[in-house]
């Protein structure tokens, strides 16, 4: 079963879920599933640079925050037009990714990891310090993004997010299967060879990084719409760690794997948390077991074959 | 004759209200995991003590309490709030650990007309312009203890005080609250990075200043660090340390003798002399083997408040307006003394000055010495539309 | 702003730097020798702090506490190495991230399970409490001076170990070429276990020294982990000398920055703006510094010679 078929099956299942929930009489599950899909989009965006570019970013959650705050700040000033809000969120995140990428992509490996972490920490502390937008207390939104749809209705919002997820899945598959995607993967396996052939590797990596940041920013805007609240805590490095885990555990480089990884990770977290306040330990054991059993990546991984060390 | 009896019977049947509640469901949410779990755990313990002392019944109704961990994440807290409303259909949402989480869950709860009682956070927006008849706080308004300390410093006529707090919303609010009542001169106003571990640089600055005293706000783990380092730097004698929300019964065991001599503002201490407090403290120490902290008191009061309110409406909590009115009346004895709500449904209480002294068992404890601010509500009640 | 204050702040900066070095020495060693990204480093730090504080409080003997903290961290490191880490050396960094992230979650919850969510009492031993008079100018906490002394001793010992002993030579040989060293008869498996335990022990030492001045609480290693990573990346991954220099530089700049940024800003900003922006920049200073250094020198200040 190809990755595209799995993605299609996933979208179909997700489309049918609301009917199941309605039959069970539990509309609350819709909000749970919506949140999972939003993080699925964020994880998918990370996979573009991690799975295909080999770039381990420990600061990806910063785009969730930038996208969210874009929506929040515009709402604060009374601008609720959905196109403006979502557009600004995406563009702001793309811009931030452009800047961060321009500086970070000069490094690689663990250095890249640390620099992306550093930038996300900087934005996090900045958000805490700015009192006008709530600072650490966060910013409450007065209204949803106005796209002509009633986002207050959980079903409507659910299907909108699902449509976005489906769109980004399709877009990512296109990008990855395109010449651009091939070049990205080539760079991941052997960058020196690519440079020798004459490709501007830096430019390609930066482009992928910007696209990834933009998509994640869009996810952040969706999250702000769902919770009608945005706070700096979404940008903490532990959240970036969660995203990394979702991608790795779901299967790097498969696009749909990370989406499933996000859903399962959040589901596991929720189920475990309802049993015990020591859910962290249980989650940790699951992660370790995943690696030790050699099953890093439920959907397999693009890297298990030609991995580079160090 | 028969017709009249029939009519009377029919009238009687029609007068029976909607099905009366046979139990009360409470949704309790606080931070029970992660580095700040101590606060949420203390709140939960105080709440559970109250339920136990009431025999598992609140106002005579069997109580079902759903305990959830918000993991200190705003989006998780929000989701749990929606679960309380849509899935569990709770009669009241209680608990809550931190103000940013409280703000995240406020709208979904209040818009669903769910009785919401905060056992800890008291954000200024909810005391003021965003107040709601469905929201109550049995703890405080967030600036209160700082205001109490400010009033005390003003009363003592102290001047040239060095202010230091972490650089985030609460830090700024606490300093602002202090300045609302303290009108003396300020030697310096310093905000430190939130995750800073080592205060040597700031302590050296203090040492070289001409301040007469220091006021610090460092909650939780930050407080433990700051006080220990302050004492180790030998500053306590020359620069007496005044604080609010920095040391309390939950952090004193970790700080130890380094906390001796600190002056704090508080609305409660274990040695407050009244019957409700004796029952609370002895019950808590027996059940959990440690001295309770103020957070536990606030949660205990939440349950006691619900108990008297449910009794007042004879268990008919489905009659929302009556239930809300009964809650607002708040006729119960808290370990802090007689409890009373302000017009914005935040408490009116007395704030004391306390000092950390060595107890009879050799361990440091907070001892109340003086009244700082009596029968005070908060600074935001006027902007609340409820009167 | 007086000369004594400046001197004292420099001392503070140096002390912070040495503290950072203690926290990061083990991490850079493990990365440099075994190419292992160890996010659980903070957990060994936490273990050292908890065990020392607990044993010291129960037995009233600081010596026993130190042995418990150091020995405990070493032991936990050895066990973790045997059970888990030795299987992932061959994996790539992502496997390391996943496993060590999971381990951190487990250790944090374990600490909360055993000792509860409240902070643990950890005190400075009486013989180190009190102030020391330096040059008759500054009175400085004795315990902080002790940290400086211990840190310098550790740095010297590590340097001596790696450069001037046979064991150090074996370690460096295995780092350069594991298969070759093994073929030449070096028991690489045992060696790696020793190095890992050493790394854990160093983290535990940092933890038990930090306990009395910081807060002993579940998750205390998380913030320290980031700081340690910043130090080793700036210093050059795998270089102990680099970590030492980077730690000192970062400690000094952070301390001096925090002390003098507000008056500096106050020179050309009005007071309220300076009050607000200075602490915000101060909290980002370490990261700004790292970003700048990596921009100009992506391999860090003192990358180890080619491997």
């Amino acid at each position: 079963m190809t990755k595209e078929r799995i993605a299609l099956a996933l979208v179909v299942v997700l489309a049918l879920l609301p009917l199941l929930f309605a039959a069970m009489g539990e509309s609350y599950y819709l909000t749970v599933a919506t949140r999972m899909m939003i993080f699925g989009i964020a994880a998918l965006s990370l996979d573009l640079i991690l799975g295909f570019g080999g770039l381990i970013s420990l600061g990806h959650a910063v785009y969730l925050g930038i996208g969210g705050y874009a929506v929040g700040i515009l709402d604060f000033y009374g601008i609720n037009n959905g196109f403006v809000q979502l557009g600004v969120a995406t563009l702001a995140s793309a811009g931030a990714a452009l800047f961060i990428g321009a500086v970070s992509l000069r490094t690689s490996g663990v250095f890249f990891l640390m620099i992306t972490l550093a930038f996300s920490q900087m934005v996090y502390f900045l958000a805490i310090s700015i009192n006008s937008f709530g600072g650490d207390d966060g910013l409450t939104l007065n209204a949803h993004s106005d796209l002509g749809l009633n986002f207050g209705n959980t079903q409507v919002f659910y299907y909108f997010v699902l449509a976005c997820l489906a769109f980004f899945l399709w877009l990512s598959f296109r990008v990855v299967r395109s010449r651009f995607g091939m070049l990205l993967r080539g760079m991941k396996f052997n960058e020196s060879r690519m440079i020798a052939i004459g490709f501007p590797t830096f430019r390609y990596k930066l482009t992928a990084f910007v696209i990834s940041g933009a998509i994640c920013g869009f996810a952040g805007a969706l999250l702000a719409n769902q919770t009608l609240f945005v706070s700096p805590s979404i940008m903490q490095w532990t959240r970036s760690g969660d995203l990394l885990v979702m991608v790795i555990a779901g299967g790097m480089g498969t696009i749909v794997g990370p989406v499933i990884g996000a859903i399962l990770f959040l589901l596991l977290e929720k189920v475990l948390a309802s049993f015990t306040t020591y859910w962290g330990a249980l989650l940790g054991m699951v992660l370790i077991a995943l690696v030790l059993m050699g099953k890093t990546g439920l959907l397999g991984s693009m890297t298990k074959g030609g991995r580079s060390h160090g | 004759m028969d017709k009249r009896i029939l009519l009377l019977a029919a009238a009687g049947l029609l007068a029976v209200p909607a099905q009366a509640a046979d139990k009360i469901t409470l949704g309790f949410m606080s931070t029970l995991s992660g580095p700040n779990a101590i606060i949420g755990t203390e709140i939960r313990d105080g709440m559970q003590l109250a339920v136990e002392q009431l025999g598992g019944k609140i106002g005579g109704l069997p109580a079902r309490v759903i305990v959830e961990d918000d993991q200190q994440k705003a989006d998780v807290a929000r989701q749990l709030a929606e679960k309380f409303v849509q899935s569990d259909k709770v009669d009241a949402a209680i608990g809550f650990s931190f103000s940013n989480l409280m703000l995240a869950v406020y709208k979904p709860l209040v818009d669903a007309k769910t009785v919401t009682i905060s056992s800890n956070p008291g954000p200024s927006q909810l005391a003021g312009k965003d107040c709601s008849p469905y929201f109550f706080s049995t703890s405080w308004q967030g600036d209160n203890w700082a205001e109490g300390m400010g009033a005390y410093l003003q009363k003592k006529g102290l001047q040239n005080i060095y202010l230091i707090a972490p650089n985030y919303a609460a830090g700024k609010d606490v300093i602002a609250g202090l300045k609302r009542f303290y009108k003396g001169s300020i030697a310096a106003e310093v905000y430190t990075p939130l995750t800073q571990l080592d205060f040597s640089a700031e302590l050296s600055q203090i040492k070289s200043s001409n301040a007469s005293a220091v006021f610090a706000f460092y909650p939780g783990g930050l407080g433990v660090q700051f006080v220990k380092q302050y004492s180790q730097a030998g500053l306590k004698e020359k620069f007496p340390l005044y604080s609010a929300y920095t040391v309390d019964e939950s952090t004193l065991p970790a700080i130890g003798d380094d906390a001796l001599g600190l002056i704090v503002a508080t609305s409660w201490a274990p040695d407050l002399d009244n019957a409700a407090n004796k029952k609370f403290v002895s019950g808590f120490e027996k059940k959990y083997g440690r001295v309770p902290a103020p957070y536990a008191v606030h949660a205990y009061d939440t349950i006691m408040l619900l108990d008297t309110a449910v009794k007042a409406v004879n268990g008919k909590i489905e009659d929302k307006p009556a239930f809300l009115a009964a809650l607002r009346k708040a006729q119960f004895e808290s370990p802090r003394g007689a409890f009373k709500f302000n017009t914005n449904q935040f408490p009116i209480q007395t704030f004391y000055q306390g000092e950390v002294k060595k107890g009879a068992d050799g361990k440091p404890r907070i001892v109340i010495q003086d009244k700082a601010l009596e029968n005070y509500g908060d600074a935001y009640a006027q902007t609340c539309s409820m009167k | 702003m007086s000369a004594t204050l400046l001197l004292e702040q420099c001392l503070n900066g140096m002390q912070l730097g040495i503290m950072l070095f203690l926290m990061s020495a083990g991490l850079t060693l493990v990365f440099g020798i075994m190419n292992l990204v160890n996010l659980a480093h903070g957990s060994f730090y936490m273990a050292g702090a908890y065990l020392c504080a607990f044993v010291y409080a129960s037995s009233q003997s600081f010596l026993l506490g130190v042995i418990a903290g150091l020995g405990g961290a070493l032991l936990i490191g050895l066990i973790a190495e045997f059970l888990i880490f030795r299987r992932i050396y061959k994996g790539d960094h992502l496997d390391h991230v996943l496993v060590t992230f999971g381990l951190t979650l487990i250790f944090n919850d374990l600490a909360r399970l055993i000792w509860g969510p409240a902070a643990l009492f950890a005190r400075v031993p009486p013989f180190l409490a009190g102030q020391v008079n330096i040059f008759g100018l500054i009175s400085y906490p004795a315990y902080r001076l002790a940290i400086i002394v211990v840190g310098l001793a550790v740095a010297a010992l590590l340097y001596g170990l790696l450069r001037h002993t046979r064991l150090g030579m074996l370690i460096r040989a295995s780092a350069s070429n594991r298969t070759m060293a093994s073929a030449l008869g070096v028991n690489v498996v045992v060696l790696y276990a020793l190095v890992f335990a050493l790394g854990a022990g160093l983290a535990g030492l940092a933890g038990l020294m930090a306990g009395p001045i910081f807060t002993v609480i579940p998750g205390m290693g998380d913030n320290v982990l980031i700081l340690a990573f910043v130090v080793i990346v700036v210093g050059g991954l795998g270089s102990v000398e680099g970590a030492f220099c980077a730690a000192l530089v970062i400690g000094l700049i952070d301390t001096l920055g925090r002390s003098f940024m507000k008056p500096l800003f106050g020179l050309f900003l009005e007071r309220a703006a300076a009050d607000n922006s200075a602490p915000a920049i101060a909290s980002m200073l370490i990261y700004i510094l790292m970003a700048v250094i990596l921009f100009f020198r992506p391999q860090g200040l003192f990358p180890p010679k080619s491997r």
Side-chain angles (χ1 to χ4, degrees), chain B residues 66-86:
Chain B
I66 303 166
V67 176
E68 294 281 8
D69 174 13
D70 59 31
Q71 303 170 29
Q72 209 171 357
K73 291 180 185 151
D75 42 335
V76 173
R78 171 124 182 166
Q79 224 177 17
L80 289 172
E82 286 171 6
K83 171 175 174 287
F84 284 165
V85 168
Q86 294 166 19

Side-chain angles (χ1 to χ4, degrees), chain B residues 79-292:
Chain B
Q79 224 177 17
L80 289 172
E82 286 171 6
K83 171 175 174 287
F84 284 165
V85 168
Q86 294 166 19
S87 193
D88 302 320
K89 301 202 179 13
V90 299
D91 298 306
I94 62 174
F96 312 105
S97 310
F98 299 105
S99 35
N100 54 358
L101 302 174
M102 185 79 249
L103 289 169
V105 305
Y106 183 67
K107 272 192 79 178
L109 286 173
V110 156
D111 285 351
K113 298 194 167 52
T114 307
V115 171
T116 307
I117 309 179
S118 165
S119 306
N120 193 45
S124 56
Q125 303 93 314
L126 306 188
K129 61 178 178 61
D130 291 332
C131 67
S132 156
Y134 294 95
F135 180 78
F136 302 83
S137 163
T138 53
S139 54
W140 52 38
Q141 192 281 310
D143 303 351
N144 277 162
W145 284 10
E147 291 169 314
M149 181 50 83
Y152 178 74
L153 293 172
Q154 179 71 0
K155 189 163 108 171
K156 285 287 167 197
L158 281 164
Q159 294 288 334
N160 212 19
I161 304 200
Y162 198 103
L163 307 176
I164 184 167
N167 187 35
Y168 73 130
K172 307 251 171 77
D173 287 345
V174 163
I175 300 288
L178 183 91
K179 287 202 233 172
R180 204 169 286 138
F181 283 84
Y182 171 70
K183 300 297 176 196
S185 59
I186 293 173
E189 192 170 320
V190 173
Y191 295 97
T192 57
L194 190 57
T195 50
Q196 181 174 299
L197 298 169
D198 191 344
F199 296 98
S200 330
E202 287 78 16
L203 294 173
S204 295
Q205 299 281 92
I206 293 176
K207 216 194 299 191
S208 75
S209 78
N210 62 351
S212 62
V214 173
F215 170 82
F217 161 63
Y218 281 103
L222 288 174
V224 174
Q225 262 152 218
F226 182 81
V227 174
K228 282 206 284 198
Q229 292 175 29
Y230 194 91
S231 175
Q232 285 158 11
L235 290 173
K236 273 196 296 186
E237 291 76 41
K238 188 157 177 248
F239 302 93
L241 183 58
Y242 297 82
S243 68
Y245 309 111
T246 304
V247 293
D248 60 54
E249 286 75 12
S250 72
T251 55
L252 268 181
I255 306 176
D257 289 351
D258 282 338
L260 291 174
L262 252 64
I263 309 286
V264 303
T266 179
S267 48
W268 171 88
D271 62 348
L272 260 183
D273 193 9
N274 63 66
N277 196 29
K278 287 199 170 49
K279 183 168 178 207
F280 166 71
V281 173
S282 59
F284 195 94
E285 285 180 348
K286 191 150 148 236
K287 187 171 160 82
Y288 300 110
R290 65 177 195 272
V291 179

Side-chain angles (χ1 to χ4, degrees), chain A residues 25-95:
Chain A
E26 290 279 16
S27 67
Y28 160 68
Y29 288 164
L30 270 183
T31 44
V32 174
T34 310
R35 179 164 173 258
M36 289 177 179
M37 289 195 291
I38 294 177
F39 275 97
I41 297 176
L44 180 163
S45 75
L46 181 58
D47 193 26
L48 282 177
I49 54 169
L50 178 59
F52 296 93
L55 301 164
I56 314 176
S57 166
L58 197 53
H60 213 66
V62 77
Y63 304 110
L64 281 176
I66 293 177
Y69 268 101
V71 171
I73 294 177
L74 284 173
D75 173 272
F76 183 79
Y77 287 116
I79 303 172
N80 279 105
N81 183 310
F83 294 104
V84 172
Q85 282 189 339
L86 293 173
V88 170
T90 315
L91 282 172
S93 309

